[in-house]
Amino acid sequence: MAALRRARRGAGSGLCRTLRALSGKKNEYDLLVIGGGSGGLACAKEAAQFGRKVAVLDYVDPSPQGTTWGLGGTCVNVGCIPKKLMHQAALLGSALKDAHHYGWNIAQPVHHTWSVMAQAVQNYVKSLNWGHRVQLQDKKVKYFNMKGSFSDPHTVRGLTKAGKETIVTADNIVIATGGRPKYPTHIAGALQYGITSDDLFWLKESPGKTLIVGASYVSLECAGFLTGIGLDTAVMMRSIPLRGFDQQMASLVTEHMESYGTKFLKRCFPTKVEKLESNRLQVTWKNTDLGTEETDSFDTVMWAVGRAPDTKTLNLETVGVKTNSETGKIIVDASEATSVPHIYAIGDITEGRPELTPTAIAAGKLLAQRLFGQSSELMDYDSVPTTVFTPLEYGCVGLSEEAAVQCHGSDNIEVFHAYYKPLEFTVAERDATQCYMKMVCLREREQRILGLHFIGPNAGEVIQGFALGIKCGATYPQLMKTVGIHPTCAEEVTKLHITKRSGLDATVTGC
Amino acid sequence: MEMNGLAPVPDSYDYDLIVIGGGSGGLAAAKEAAKYEKKVMVLDFVKPTPQGNSWGLGGTCVNVGCIPKKLMHQAALLGQALQDSRKFGWQFTEEVKHNWMTMTESVQNYIGSLNWGYRVALRDNKVTYENAYGEFVGPHTIKATNKRGVEKLYTAERFLIATGERPRYLGIPGDKEYCISSDDLFSLPYCPGKTLVVGASYVALECAGFLAGLGLDVTVMVRSILLRGFDQDMANKIGEYMKEHGVNFIREFVPTKVEQLEEGTPGRLKVTAKSTTGDQIIEEEYNTVLLAIGRDPCTRNIGLDKVGVNINEKTGKIPVSDEEQTNVPYIYAVGDILQDKLELTPVAIQAGRLLVRRLYAGATTKCDYVNVPTTVFTPLEYGACGYSEETAVEKFGEENIEVYHSHFWPLEWTVPSRDNNKCYAKIICNIQDNERVIGFHVLGPNAGEVTQGFAAAIKCGMTKEQLDNTIGIHPVCAEVFTTLSVTKRSGENTLVSGC
């Protein structure tokens, strides 16, 4: 396979390499990683464990609004970490409301100050940036704060902010440059006046009355915590929420958000954004259901309409790394190899892979182990669990109901489901209407579990262990043999017994 | 054991099944039997506590166990959440106080709704319920005595004993007169104030934990070790955390007498205690003394001798076969009263349901008591499934087990800068069996939610390799288990640094 690839290689790069080999010039590094995010850093540190000479290039192009950040990539700076912390801030707001039912006397009104939260979050993120720098140092990985682009398959040109150039050569190169939020540049004013998740977490002042455009988990999670901290928030969706996720669960998520206080502008899309004298933003949009044009003003407009890989400046064409023409993502095989030998890619930038930190980290580590540790283990992307951290969280692993039906036919699958009420909601008099779970199984004798979906508090904690079970080929009978832990939400998974097919009421009753 | 799924009930018996004890196990079994159109009766009666306390239908879990415990634990957690919330930008008055009565009323109202719900459920399932004390008087015959002393006799083809347990008293002067137990705590009509908790059971630690979390001055008096029967490494970490969070511990002492200094709600009590390792005597004053030194099965006064059911004379527990049958073929038992079985609500429910299905629906599945997960709801929660480290070493030999472990810091605790490197994850693997995971232990928030899924995976025989191949969900606590690499054997550092 490798030989075939070598034969197919372009003459130009082959000549370059041969020349270098003839001249006896060795590559400076065993491994060069372009992109210091979840995948890149994991790969670099793992390779260093094998005593290899490793370098990492990391550079953040400022956002159109001028936001930039340190080492660590999206997850640490403008993704998972600040997102979960702000989500926690919102959850604590709910906890404050619950507290008085539980006997805590707190004088009303209670209010939230953005800058206190933002500063705390930003300080923590900065400590992580620092931590990563120290870790790289400890593991003797060379770090360059430079933007990289390919000169040839083993040579990368790094540019500092000031324009200083450094040439880095390596035997193996891993591209892990991730993605950045997309701007709907066809909408007037979108680029000048809108922000994205790249900016939201670094705002020094409260975003105020906010419109978030998009139906992605980014959109819903951000809208969720903004609502939770008391801001007037609206989500504008062109069509369905959480495309790609189980749609019944997606509806429950948005239903909860609506009852929680987030406004939804469904089946609408924006046509222009203008700045008013008051410095507020006037957004005009089309309501496709009513066929009308509507308008409202906001303090902040945030675009959450998808993310795109930043590959243009990498010069991939020069070295022949193939990308998907539609998405721009790098095409890789099961071993994360690109179309060019010794050039690999991991993380959000790769085509057909989940855009998740843990998969990038795992892929990066395994890649390093294969390159330098005599391992042959490939990354298993099957049944990767995930969680959407909306006000009522949604955790899932495996197939959605739609996908299972499509794959196996509705006659061949059984869906067990239940509406339940977390014990903590009872005394707090909280609405548990959308607390729901379902398990999609194969109907045939063994009843193997194809997918598990859970909406409720701590969804991620609930799903993690079951994801492992599914990796072990868990079946419905095995789950039923597992005794529940009482009182928890997760125990309801082990008690699922009402099928959708039966049409019976799936509400969990007493103890 | 013969199965009686299809044979008609002899007309001579009043009922197909009489369940003595309307708790988790008893009610689950009763409702299940009714599904198969069996004539079922439930007898439930609560003998008042020495303090005069009683409660409705539902058993320990609903009234004086899991449910109120978890709700009060939640109240304590919310106290911590209030403090954290300031760091996350929430602003409110500095002075925050807890009102015991508000909390207790809310909790009791919820319990009342559950009691009611059970009564309705039994009625809807056409199960006869009597609030009466049941005791055997002869073969197939039981006497039910209600609150007013009215006696009735009933006969049944089969009986299920599910009478559960009640807290043990110390047997020292003043214990029954002045001390309370978990049977009293959750409905106490006044704030307990400065409290001494006697015992080192999970009941003692959970109660001490939430009382401290609500702002009370709490001391735990421990005779020897904490959480006997649990992994001691984890037990000690729980104790350490509680100490660091304001719970006082008096180790290796036992109370010898409790005297009342002043009546009141609460009053003032003087406790005298003696060292277990020397002659030292100490005295201290408390508002409340909570005894949590163990529980005794309610099997001594229900006429078991009249029908020849064997019990363990020392412990009072009933030995049963793996099909929950006692030595008397038509008498079964489930729940906390069983010998050598776990005292947990879900176990009782599972055992009760499966038993009934075997009796009346031709099923063969037995209750699987292996690898039952559990959680201790102390301030730092502890979830576990499978072997403790000690029992694994004992059974397999230290050289044949590998222990992987790690500390972790929940992301939500970073901003309030609290408790770094207190949370801890540990798995125990059997080296000789493909590194199969035989023990799972987690110390951290939402430990129950984390543990449940891993318990299911352990049932599927998960190995370390499969664990490593599972991708973590980020950022949650549970993901730490998917990246465990440091072994205890290596002696390497497990303290956390960054993402």
Side-chain angles (χ1 to χ4, degrees):
Chain A
M1 177 70 187
L4 207 60
R5 265 215 306 275
R6 262 197 295 272
R8 276 191 272 139
R9 216 173 43 194
S13 49
L15 196 59
C16 241
R17 200 158 177 262
T18 317
L19 279 178
R20 195 183 300 115
L22 284 176
S23 71
K25 220 162 162 202
K26 233 184 58 158
N27 288 314
E28 200 184 340
Y29 291 94
D30 296 308
L31 175 69
L32 168 65
V33 177
I34 312 174
S38 303
L41 293 179
C43 187
K45 289 188 289 188
E46 188 74 10
Q49 303 267 73
F50 294 109
R52 295 299 178 152
K53 206 165 172 226
V54 186
V56 170
L57 254 66
D58 187 66
Y59 190 84
V60 179
D61 277 320
S63 75
Q65 296 296 333
T67 313
T68 183
W69 49 86
L71 180 62
T74 296
C75 173
V76 165
N77 294 286
V78 286
C80 331
I81 301 298
K83 172 266 295 288
K84 187 103 193 287
L85 288 171
M86 293 198 175
H87 169 63
Q88 174 69 357
L91 291 181
L92 288 172
S94 293
L96 285 170
K97 294 201 187 100
D98 289 351
H100 89 264
H101 290 278
Y102 283 89
W104 293 99
N105 297 323
I106 310 163
Q108 297 298 320
V110 163
H111 69 271
H112 185 264
T113 304
W114 173 273
S115 54
V116 172
M117 172 184 75
Q119 195 158 81
V121 170
Q122 288 153 22
N123 283 342
Y124 178 64
V125 168
K126 287 182 186 149
S127 77
L128 291 180
N129 299 140
W130 179 248
H132 280 300
R133 302 266 319 242
V134 168
Q135 266 182 41
L136 288 185
Q137 216 165 44
D138 286 349
K139 295 196 193 289
K140 300 195 190 3
V141 172
K142 183 94 178 108
Y143 160 63
F144 296 100
N145 183 208
M146 295 184 190
K147 191 163 172 72
S149 61
F150 281 94
S151 307
D152 74 44
H154 291 277
T155 311
V156 168
R157 188 169 154 258
L159 263 184
T160 65
K161 198 160 66 173
K164 184 169 153 250
E165 187 184 286
T166 303
I167 306 289
V168 184
T169 57
D171 283 347
N172 299 282
I173 300 177
V174 174
I175 309 169
T177 48
R180 295 297 289 268
K182 281 197 267 197
Y183 270 82
T185 43
H186 59 283
I187 299 174
L191 194 57
Q192 296 118 284
Y193 306 125
I195 66 166
T196 67
S197 55
D198 277 359
D199 308 294
L200 181 67
F201 303 110
W202 294 92
L203 293 179
K204 296 275 184 288
E205 298 298 325
S206 170
K209 179 180 174 187
T210 305
L211 171 69
I212 302 186
V213 181
S216 56
Y217 74 82
V218 174
S219 170
L220 298 186
E221 286 177 344
C222 292
F225 70 70
L226 291 177
T227 305
I229 59 174
L231 299 178
D232 182 345
T233 311
V235 171
M236 187 179 292
M237 304 194 296
R238 176 187 289 272
S239 64
I240 60 170
L242 297 174
R243 186 177 297 277
F245 286 87
D246 184 289
Q247 283 300 294
Q248 179 195 15
M249 307 308 279
S251 300
L252 288 168
V253 165
T254 53
E255 256 171 53
H256 178 267
M257 287 178 70
E258 278 180 288
S259 66
Y260 188 69
T262 306
K263 301 191 188 71
F264 277 83
L265 298 162
K266 294 179 186 166
R267 304 189 63 73
C268 296
F269 65 88
T271 50
K272 66 176 176 225
V273 182
E274 299 160 293
K275 194 149 199 176
L276 299 172
E277 251 177 50
S278 58
N279 263 335
R280 270 199 149 188
L281 300 171
Q282 177 104 325
V283 180
T284 310
W285 67 88
K286 268 220 169 62
N287 182 321
T288 57
D289 271 345
L290 304 171
T292 51
E293 195 175 77
E294 283 154 28
T295 181
D296 196 0
S297 64
F298 303 90
D299 296 310
T300 302
V301 174
M302 180 178 129
W303 307 108
V305 294
R307 295 172 66 81
D310 182 14
T311 49
K312 271 179 259 68
T313 48
L314 278 171
N315 256 348
L316 295 179
E317 314 75 38
T318 311
V319 289
V321 169
K322 292 206 169 58
T323 58
N324 177 303
S325 51
E326 210 186 291
T327 63
K329 293 192 177 190
I330 298 178
I331 299 169
V332 291
D333 67 15
S335 67
E336 332 305 347
T338 66
S339 49
V340 179
H342 306 296
I343 299 182
Y344 304 85
I346 55 173
D348 288 5
I349 201 165
T350 50
E351 176 63 40
R353 304 278 190 243
E355 289 177 8
L356 297 167
T357 278
T359 50
I361 292 176
K365 282 192 182 150
L366 289 174
L367 174 61
Q369 285 165 16
R370 289 194 304 275
L371 289 177
F372 306 115
Q374 272 109 43
S375 160
S376 55
E377 197 189 333
L378 295 175
M379 174 69 187
D380 183 358
Y381 289 98
D382 196 35
S383 288
V384 173
T386 182
T387 297
V388 181
F389 295 98
T390 30
L392 199 58
E393 299 175 5
Y394 165 38
C396 59
V397 59
L399 299 180
S400 65
E401 198 176 330
E402 304 90 278
V405 166
Q406 202 175 67
C407 216
H408 301 275
S410 58
D411 281 340
N412 296 319
I413 63 159
E414 196 77 86
V415 181
F416 298 90
H417 67 154
Y419 285 91
Y420 69 98
K421 188 164 190 172
L423 179 63
E424 293 73 15
F425 279 34
T426 58
V427 161
E429 291 177 15
R430 275 223 243 165
D431 181 15
T433 311
Q434 287 89 22
C435 289
Y436 175 80
M437 61 180 76
K438 73 178 174 187
M439 186 155 60
V440 182
C441 304
L442 279 174
R443 215 168 161 196
E444 49 79 21
R445 215 165 50 95
E446 228 188 47
Q447 293 181 294
R448 193 163 54 88
I449 302 170
L450 299 173
L452 181 63
H453 302 262
F454 173 93
I455 290 185
N458 306 301
E461 308 293 5
V462 171
I463 290 287
Q464 182 70 82
F466 289 107
L468 172 55
I470 287 177
K471 259 260 181 283
C472 302
T475 63
Y476 177 74
Q478 279 174 315
L479 228 59
M480 291 307 110
K481 268 177 85 171
T482 308
V483 179
I485 299 172
H486 188 68
T488 60
C489 296
E491 65 174 310
E492 300 300 335
V493 178
T494 67
K495 293 148 82 178
L496 286 168
H497 63 285
I498 306 277
T499 61
K500 275 198 178 184
R501 185 171 271 117
S502 71
L504 295 170
D505 180 11
T507 310
V508 169
T509 44
C511 216
Chain B
M1 192 205 84
E2 18 95 56
M3 298 224 236
N4 197 26
L6 300 168
V9 178
D11 283 336
S12 50
Y13 294 126
D14 298 323
Y15 290 92
D16 294 309
L17 177 70
I18 290 182
V19 177
I20 313 166
S24 303
L27 292 181
K31 287 189 286 189
E32 188 74 17
K35 268 203 242 173
Y36 303 113
E37 323 253 287
K38 296 297 162 182
K39 203 163 175 231
V40 187
M41 165 184 260
V42 170
L43 295 174
D44 187 66
F45 192 86
V46 179
K47 279 210 161 129
T49 72
Q51 297 297 327
N53 216 10
S54 184
W55 50 86
L57 179 64
T60 297
C61 173
V62 166
N63 294 286
V64 288
C66 332
I67 301 298
K69 173 266 294 290
K70 187 104 192 286
L71 289 170
M72 293 199 175
H73 170 64
Q74 174 70 354
L77 290 179
L78 285 172
Q80 178 72 74
L82 292 186
Q83 285 180 47
D84 286 354
S85 73
R86 292 187 214 269
K87 295 283 170 63
F88 280 91
W90 291 98
Q91 289 176 327
F92 45 93
T93 53
E94 270 310 306
E95 177 85 18
V96 174
K97 288 198 92 129
H98 185 260
N99 184 313
W100 174 269
M101 288 313 299
T102 305
M103 173 185 73
T104 309
E105 243 169 67
S106 300
V107 170
Q108 288 302 316
N109 282 342
Y110 177 62
I111 292 173
S113 75
L114 291 180
N115 299 138
W116 180 249
Y118 277 121
R119 304 229 8 201
V120 169
L122 289 186
R123 200 181 54 207
D124 288 349
N125 280 297
K126 300 195 191 11
V127 172
T128 310
Y129 160 62
E130 275 204 22
N131 184 211
Y133 187 90
E135 45 187 320
F136 289 97
V137 290
H140 291 274
T141 312
I142 200 156
K143 176 175 79 173
T145 311
N146 74 9
K147 237 180 353 210
R148 290 180 302 280
V150 176
E151 291 176 5
K152 287 194 214 162
L153 289 180
Y154 297 107
T155 60
E157 193 195 355
R158 290 194 178 92
F159 291 83
L160 177 63
I161 309 170
T163 47
E165 301 182 302
R166 297 297 290 270
R168 191 181 300 150
Y169 279 76
L170 279 169
I172 60 169
D175 67 352
K176 289 216 166 90
E177 298 94 301
Y178 308 123
C179 301
I180 64 167
S181 73
S182 55
D183 278 359
D184 308 293
L185 180 65
F186 302 111
S187 57
L188 207 61
Y190 53 85
C191 180
K194 179 178 173 189
T195 304
L196 173 70
V197 178
V198 182
S201 56
Y202 75 80
V203 175
L205 298 186
E206 285 177 347
C207 291
F210 71 69
L211 290 174
L214 299 178
L216 303 179
D217 178 345
V218 179
T219 302
V220 181
M221 187 176 285
V222 176
R223 187 170 54 98
S224 62
I225 61 172
L226 298 177
L227 295 173
R228 185 179 298 278
F230 286 86
D231 185 294
Q232 284 298 293
D233 175 23
M234 306 304 281
N236 289 328
K237 286 181 159 63
I238 290 172
E240 279 308 309
Y241 185 91
M242 287 176 70
K243 246 183 26 196
E244 280 165 27
H245 286 257
V247 177
N248 306 304
F249 279 84
I250 299 178
R251 305 292 297 253
E252 296 180 331
F253 270 84
V254 287
T256 53
K257 71 176 171 210
V258 179
E259 298 163 283
Q260 187 178 67
L261 296 175
E262 193 184 309
E263 256 188 82
T265 53
R268 281 168 52 225
L269 301 171
K270 185 168 98 172
V271 177
T272 308
K274 184 175 179 309
S275 164
T276 59
T277 57
D279 290 325
Q280 202 194 348
I281 308 263
I282 54 172
E283 280 177 3
E284 183 61 62
E285 193 183 305
Y286 301 94
N287 293 122
T288 298
V289 176
L290 171 70
L291 300 179
I293 55 166
R295 294 171 67 76
D296 290 320
C298 300
T299 50
R300 311 258 187 206
N301 296 308
I302 56 173
L304 292 183
D305 51 317
K306 301 268 183 359
V307 282
V309 171
N310 289 338
I311 65 170
N312 178 314
E313 275 311 318
K314 183 163 164 257
T315 62
K317 293 229 175 182
I318 303 182
V320 292
S321 69
D322 64 357
E323 292 178 334
E324 288 81 30
Q325 191 178 34
T326 68
N327 61 307
V328 178
Y330 67 90
I331 300 180
Y332 301 83
V334 289
D336 288 3
I337 53 171
L338 297 189
Q339 182 165 276
D340 297 329
K341 300 281 193 278
L342 294 157
E343 292 176 9
L344 297 168
T345 276
V347 172
I349 292 177
Q350 183 97 307
R353 283 209 186 115
L354 292 178
L355 167 65
V356 165
R357 283 184 207 156
R358 291 194 305 272
L359 291 180
Y360 302 123
T364 50
T365 313
K366 299 184 205 180
C367 187
D368 187 347
Y369 291 100
V370 172
N371 290 327
V372 172
T374 180
T375 297
V376 182
F377 295 96
T378 28
L380 192 57
E381 297 179 7
Y382 167 38
C385 184
Y387 287 90
S388 66
E389 208 174 321
E390 306 88 86
T391 49
V393 165
E394 203 184 283
K395 171 135 194 211
F396 298 96
E398 198 180 333
E399 64 287 2
N400 293 318
I401 63 161
E402 194 74 86
V403 179
Y404 293 89
H405 65 156
S406 177
H407 283 88
F408 62 96
W409 200 18
L411 182 62
E412 293 74 15
W413 296 4
T414 58
V415 159
S417 288
R418 65 178 173 91
D419 300 315
N420 188 4
N421 286 313
K422 294 285 180 287
C423 295
Y424 181 73
K426 168 166 95 171
I427 57 166
I428 303 167
C429 303
N430 183 350
I431 297 177
Q432 295 178 313
D433 181 19
N434 250 329
E435 276 206 317
R436 199 159 311 274
V437 178
I438 57 172
F440 173 97
H441 303 265
V442 65
L443 199 60
N446 305 303
E449 309 293 4
V450 171
T451 303
Q452 183 71 84
F454 287 97
I458 286 179
K459 263 271 173 267
C460 303
M462 76 150 157
T463 60
K464 175 70 168 49
E465 194 183 335
Q466 284 169 319
L467 190 52
D468 292 345
N469 284 338
T470 304
I471 300 293
I473 297 170
H474 187 66
V476 300
C477 296
E479 64 175 315
V480 67
F481 285 95
T482 61
T483 53
L484 289 173
S485 59
V486 175
T487 61
K488 269 204 178 182
R489 204 188 297 280
S490 72
E492 272 168 48
N493 182 17
T494 58
L495 300 178
V496 180
S497 38
C499 191

